[in-house]
Every structure is written in structure tokens, then in C-alpha cells.
Amino acid sequence: MTEKKKMLAGEVYSAVDPELIEELMVTREVLYEYNSLRPSETQRMKEILKNLLGHVADDDFLINQPFRCDYGKQISIGRRFFANFNFTVLDEARVTIGDDCFIGPNVSIYTACHSTNPEERNSRQEWAMPVTIGHNVWIGGSVTILPGVTIGDNVTIGAGSVVVGDIPSNTIAVGNPCKVIRNL
């Protein structure tokens, strides 16, 4: 099994595999073009993202520059999606975002996992866990979403939160670690 197949299956894989490094470099080239476009070149921006991302539900989406991701193909965005400046997605595993989601500035979504054991970590072996965000979700500015998290439908995540575990539907959650503070 290739390292890429291991990565996509959620198994331990080598993060320094030449095939994966080459794919990362190709994505960075595409993002360099995307992030260098004039703000008025919205149609070209959409074309680039439609080719880069794994799934784009419709043409009614906007990801403000700059945008960063590792591969792009593991990212799926729903209808009427908006992400503000400095959206970062480390998509070693699937990242699924539902319809009518709004992402504040400086939000990061991580799927890559690393050992807390220094010797294991230094071997450049890692694994990845998917992130799922439901419909009608608002993620406030400077939120970090960690690997394996599922955020339900109709959720607001307060600015600056670090989401380390699942957040149920119809809630408002804030903090570090992020916790539900109110049901809707």
C-alpha cells in the first residue's frame, strides 16, 4: 500500500514520502497563483478552487485570499460557503463542510496527527483524522479545529476557541478547550 493510500485510510504513514511531497508542492504552486490574483479576478479564483478542491457544491462561494491547504482534494464545501482571510486547512484526511457555513478570519482546520513521543514524532510518521462541519455553522475568527472533530448543524463557535472534541447541533460553544455554553 502506498503512503498516500495509508494517509487517506487513516493509517500511520510517512509524511516525507516523495509522492506526497510532490503533491504538496503542486498544491502550493496552485495556491501561489490563487493568492496572487487581483481581488477583482473572482471568476479565475473560482476556477482554480473548483479544480483544487475535492467538491464544491455550487458557484456561490468565496474564500478570501490568502488561503492555504495541503492537498485540496480532501476538502468538500457546501452551498453558499464563505471563508475570510487566512483560512488554513491541513487536509491529510477528509474535511467536509456543509451548506451555509461562514468561516471567520485566521481559522485553521487540522487533520494531521503527530505522536507526543519525541522519537516517534522525529521519524516523520503521522496519521490523519477527518473533520466534519455541519450545515448553518459560523466559526468565529482565530478558531482552531483539531483532528477528528465533528461539529453539528446550526452551531456557532466563538472567536479564539480551540475545538478539541465534538460539538453537538443547535449549540453555541466557546473557549479553550471549546465547550457548549448554550443550547439553541
Side-chain angles (χ1 to χ4, degrees), residues 2-180:
T2 67
E3 297 304 303
K4 181 177 181 178
K5 286 181 181 177
K6 289 178 189 176
M7 178 183 81
L8 296 174
E11 298 177 13
V12 174
Y13 66 94
S14 171
V16 293
D17 175 69
E19 177 189 4
L20 293 175
I21 297 297
E22 176 61 27
E23 284 191 43
L24 288 168
M25 292 302 113
V26 168
T27 301
R28 287 182 183 157
E29 288 291 331
V30 171
L31 289 172
Y32 178 83
E33 179 185 357
Y34 177 81
N35 290 322
S36 298
L37 290 171
R38 298 183 63 80
S40 60
E41 295 180 88
T42 55
Q43 195 55 42
R44 179 67 185 133
M45 287 181 199
K46 288 184 184 212
E47 289 171 13
I48 289 171
L49 290 179
K50 283 182 178 179
N51 288 321
L52 177 65
L53 302 181
H55 175 76
V56 176
D58 64 16
D59 283 338
D60 189 7
F61 70 94
L62 176 64
I63 299 177
N64 278 330
Q65 302 155 300
F67 167 58
R68 304 271 190 266
C69 66
D70 276 340
Y71 298 97
K73 292 299 178 198
Q74 282 78 251
I75 301 170
S76 173
I77 60 172
R79 293 188 296 269
R80 297 170 300 277
F81 177 77
F82 172 78
N84 216 322
F85 307 106
N86 296 312
F87 183 41
T88 300
V89 183
L90 304 187
D91 61 314
E92 281 68 18
R94 194 118 178 90
V95 174
T96 305
I97 303 172
D99 297 340
D100 298 300
C101 287
F102 300 94
I103 308 289
N106 304 308
V107 168
S108 297
I109 299 174
Y110 305 141
T111 65
C113 302
H114 307 277
S115 177
T116 56
N117 177 301
E119 289 178 17
E120 290 175 10
R121 186 172 55 248
N122 290 340
S123 74
R124 305 302 191 255
Q125 297 289 306
E126 59 186 58
W127 65 98
M129 297 168 56
V131 169
T132 302
I133 298 172
H135 302 296
N136 305 307
V137 173
W138 176 21
I139 309 288
S142 299
V143 167
T144 301
I145 300 171
L146 296 183
V149 164
T150 295
I151 296 172
D153 296 335
N154 309 310
V155 170
T156 297
I157 305 291
S161 296
V162 179
V163 186
V164 300
D166 294 350
I167 303 296
S169 293
N170 304 305
T171 59
I172 297 172
V174 300
N176 180 5
C178 189
K179 296 185 186 303
V180 172

